[in-house]
Amino acid sequence: MMVPNVGVLHPVRDNVVLLAALASALVVPFLPRTSEYYRHPIPTVYAPKAQTRFSWAPLLRRVATRPNLLLELLLIRVTYAAYQHTRLEAAGSRAVAEGHGGQILTVEKALFLDIEHSVNHAVVQIGWLRGFFDFYYTSFHFVVPLTVLGVLYWRRPADYRWARTAIGFTTVLALVGFFFYPLAPPRLMPGLGIIDTIHGVQDFSKPDYGTLTQLANQYAAMPSLHFGWSLWCGLTIALVAPRWWMKALGLLHPTFTVAAIVATGNHWVLDAVGGAAVVGAGFALTHVLTGPRAKPGKDDGKTDDGVPRAATSGPRDPVRG
């Protein structure tokens, strides 16, 4: 469910649980019996216990060590399944969703933000640009957030916990919006003239038009998690990346995403504004509940991996384990 629906990746989609289990088992570095430290291991030097507001809540603890990989994979899988189920159950009626779409369009016209039609039709005229935005919309929504989480887990475990909690709060808040404000996207608004670049021409005469399938809620548009998750990625990379070009590259992702969601007719401009709002609220809740993010510029005695430098450098006297 978290792997893009691309033909070449279908073998991965069908075996993702097995591959994840094998990967987590094979990447663990085992100590050979011939090592001098096999019978005389080096004692572990633990980082000082971090201060947090709710230390009793495992998901809110701010500590330097990386959490258990299998438990994190299980957490992501269960959370995403709950997200998919809640998103599907939040589907409203077609009439209500189209009514809310009319409200959004009215507000956008008042704010001179009603650019969906012009952008959509301009992109449709350029074949390669339409193909690029279609591919970007369907393929990068899950790949980039999972990649960011993976890199943080491996290189910045303390930042991983902070970022993971922030995107969790963001998603929960978005589900509230889906439930209470079902919204028809521009491509599902009769008479608006938006071209659905991904799904093709749709039959507006069908009574259940807008649901399309029983697997996805087409009215879960406000706020846009396509943009929200991409903005979370961009901000996270901008905050933790060590070089300016990495920060700039990270911020390109939400830029391309907001262009894609409008060009393909899948979201209103205000959906992106809503996505930015839940991302900001997600980071704010993380700050309130877990405390401020640790500043990497300070010498806290740990490497980028969250391991105390005393355990990775300098003379070490083996002791009997």
Side-chain angles (χ1 to χ4, degrees):
M1 295 173 68
M2 297 186 290
V3 178
N5 188 19
V6 180
V8 70
L9 295 179
H10 285 172
V12 178
R13 290 171 59 92
D14 296 339
N15 300 282
V16 65
V17 176
L18 173 62
L19 293 174
L22 288 175
S24 62
L26 294 177
V27 299
V28 176
F30 292 94
L31 189 68
R33 290 177 179 271
T34 56
S35 170
E36 60 177 308
Y37 300 118
Y38 185 79
R39 294 188 179 277
H40 303 279
I42 299 172
T44 301
V45 180
Y46 293 95
K49 184 177 181 181
Q51 297 297 320
T52 184
R53 293 187 172 92
F54 295 92
S55 58
W56 51 267
L59 297 182
L60 299 181
R61 291 174 186 162
R62 194 188 67 191
V63 296
T65 57
R66 60 177 57 86
N68 181 279
L69 178 59
L70 291 179
L71 291 179
E72 287 298 303
L73 291 175
L74 179 62
L75 174 65
I76 292 174
R77 182 65 184 87
V78 170
T79 301
Y80 184 71
Y83 156 76
Q84 285 284 77
H85 179 74
T86 305
R87 190 175 186 267
L88 182 61
E89 292 298 321
S93 68
R94 174 180 174 179
V96 171
E98 290 179 358
H100 289 162
Q103 294 174 1
I104 292 294
L105 181 58
T106 300
V107 173
E108 286 193 350
K109 286 182 177 180
L111 298 175
F112 302 101
L113 295 176
D114 55 324
I115 61 173
E116 292 83 5
H117 186 277
S118 57
V119 171
N120 174 254
H121 281 254
V123 169
V124 167
Q125 302 303 317
I126 308 174
W128 67 267
L129 189 59
R130 172 178 176 170
F132 170 76
F133 282 134
D134 286 354
F135 178 77
Y136 206 94
Y137 180 87
T138 57
S139 300
F140 287 83
H141 183 42
F142 296 113
V143 170
V144 179
L146 289 174
T147 301
V148 172
L149 287 172
V151 172
L152 289 178
Y153 181 88
W154 185 251
R155 297 294 301 168
R156 300 287 186 91
D159 284 330
Y160 167 81
R161 292 177 181 267
W162 160 78
R164 175 253 278 149
T165 304
I167 195 174
F169 282 133
T170 295
T171 305
V172 170
L173 292 173
L175 289 176
V176 176
F178 299 159
F179 192 85
F180 289 102
Y181 198 78
L183 173 65
R187 64 182 178 84
L188 298 184
M189 288 292 290
L192 195 57
I194 296 292
I195 300 173
D196 190 337
T197 64
I198 297 176
H199 302 94
V201 179
Q202 305 296 324
D203 186 359
F204 283 90
S205 65
K206 292 184 178 179
D208 61 348
Y209 177 72
T211 56
L212 296 181
T213 69
Q214 296 299 316
L215 300 178
N217 174 12
Q218 301 299 310
Y219 298 144
M222 171 64 82
S224 169
L225 272 187
H226 254 85
F227 179 70
W229 284 357
S230 71
L231 182 61
W232 170 88
C233 291
L235 293 176
T236 300
I237 294 172
L239 287 171
V240 306
R243 293 178 173 82
W244 69 266
W245 62 267
M246 296 179 181
K247 301 176 185 291
L249 192 62
L251 291 174
L252 280 178
H253 178 49
T255 303
F256 284 147
T257 300
V258 72
I261 64 176
V262 174
T264 59
N266 278 279
H267 283 285
W268 306 92
V269 172
L270 287 182
D271 293 346
V273 176
V278 293
V279 169
F283 278 114
L285 281 173
T286 301
H287 178 86
V288 170
L289 296 177
T290 68
R293 171 178 168 263
K295 302 298 182 182
K298 296 182 180 180
D299 185 4
D300 56 1
K302 296 185 288 294
T303 66
D304 286 344
D305 290 340
V307 179
R309 292 193 181 93
T312 59
S313 62
R316 293 180 280 189
D317 296 328
V319 296
R320 186 172 300 275

